């Protein structure tokens, strides 16, 4: 399955060995929600996110204790063999924290700067300049991340006034989008004037409304060639966050816009932070941009499905493949991802199984209690008994080992 043939041209940015933009594969990233000053908790969450497939992980650096912890977190990760680059998220006092904590400045692979709160009005320009000079000193890229929740009020007020006096005024939402874009591009141009290379700058312009996000990124993408970080901010909890993020990012990605994605889900209480990584991977895989794991096709089930064996098996196969397979394209360049079919009855089961590399059709209501298995389009076995699921999982493992080497 191929992704859209056209991707917007952008300048590639190397973040600790992971290149964002410049035609490289779209990068999955995520962010911790631990107190960064808690070294152990942050180390554990970064490790979990990296193991789930996050290729960059951002951590909050909001005070001296957090900045002091960063090199220790990096050290713990290195000792555990986890190479994922860490990004520091700075607001208000980033210039001070990076100045006072050189080990933090060195340990981070990128600095995220919010131009809307880089300093209080009178000192904004000098503090922004200090941040850019620190990025140059430590040879680090930056993300200039504008967020409409912390937009530069002065800029917004000026554009609102200009719009009010215009002969052809536009909507307040359009003015707000323009302010977001001007803040991002203006800050990036200022960073370049200060000497930071174009290949050291990533932009993002996050809003929480799907239609506004699409409009703002379409405009931003047309007006510059900086690498772009996509994300719907405050996407929300559960299915709402998944659907809103997928709708917004899916449309932009289809238009060739976006070099790295973060799905900002609010975790359920006690929920798993790595869900946002899996959603990002599934979005990119569904759209044909990347292939992280083999594809499992499962029918939705219906009144013909006899038992929970079918759903359980589909989930177990998906989980097994997710956990055991590395990103497909890196391990098997040029090889189409393996497909596995898990079907609930003979109506569509054998047909779908024949299209997959390996597929099983479990017996539906009133059918003979037997499960035909197809490998590469040919029926090779009919499984019976209470352990059909285990038998099929073994066949999948054997297929992977025979065709691709040990998983
Ligand atoms: Fe229902 Fe069978 Fe279709 Fe699955 S394949 S949805 S069990 S009819």
């Amino acid at each position: 399955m191929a992704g859209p043939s056209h991707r917007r041209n952008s300048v590639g940015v190397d973040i600790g060995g992971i290149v964002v933009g410049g035609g490289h594969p779209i990068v999955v990233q995520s962010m911790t929600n631990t107190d960064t000053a808690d070294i152990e908790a942050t180390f554990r969450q970064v490790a979990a996110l990296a193991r789930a497939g996050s290729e960059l992980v951002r951590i909050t650096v909001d005070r001296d204790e957090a900045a002091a912890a960063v090199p220790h977190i990096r050290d713990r990760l290195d000792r555990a063999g986890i190479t994922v680059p860490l990004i520091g998220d700075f607001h208000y006092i980033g210039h001070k924290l990076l100045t006072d904590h050189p080990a933090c400045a060195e340990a981070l692979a990128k600095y995220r700067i919010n131009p809307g709160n880089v300093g209080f009005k009178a000192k904004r320009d000098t503090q922004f300049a200090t941040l850019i000079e620190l990025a140059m000193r430590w040879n680090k890229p930056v993300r200039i991340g504008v967020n409409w929740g912390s937009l530069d009020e002065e800029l917004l007020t000026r554009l609102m006034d200009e719009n009010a006096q215009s002969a052809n005024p536009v909507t307040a939402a359009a003015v707000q989008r323009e302010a977001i874009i001007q803040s991002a591009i203006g800050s990036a141009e200022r960073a370049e004037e200060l000497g930071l290379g174009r290949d050291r700058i990533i932009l993002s312009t996050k809003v929480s409304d799907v239609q506004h996000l699409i409009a703002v990124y379409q405009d931003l993408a047309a007006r510059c060639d900086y690498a772009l970080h996509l994300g719907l901010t405050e996407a929300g909890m559960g299915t709402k966050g998944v659907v809103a993020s997928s709708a917004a990012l899916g449309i932009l990605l289809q238009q060739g816009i976006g070099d790295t994605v973060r799905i900002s889900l609010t975790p359920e209480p006690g929920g798993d932070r790595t869900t946002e990584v899996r959603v990002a991977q599934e979005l990119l895989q569904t759209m044909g941009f990347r292939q992280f794991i083999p594809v499992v096709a499962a029918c939705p089930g219906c009144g013909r499905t006899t038992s929970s064996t079918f759903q359980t098996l589909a989930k177990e196969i998906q989980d097994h493949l997710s956990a055991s397979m590395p990103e497909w394209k890196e391990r098997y360049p040029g090889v189409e991802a393996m497909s596995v079919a898990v079907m609930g009855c003979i109506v569509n089961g054998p047909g779908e199984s024949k299209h997959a590399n390996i597929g099983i059709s479990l017996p539906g209501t009133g059918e003979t209690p037997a499960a035909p298995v197809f490998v590469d389009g040919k029926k090779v076995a009919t499984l019976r008994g209470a352990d059909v699921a285990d038998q099929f999982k073994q066949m999948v493992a054997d297929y992977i080992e025979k065709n691709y080497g040990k998983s």
Side-chain angles (χ1 to χ4, degrees), residues 299-305 310 343-349 364 367:
C299 77
C302 68
R304 294 181 62 91
T305 317
F310 155 69
M343 302 294 289
C345 81
I346 57 166
V347 172
N348 293 317
E367 295 174 12

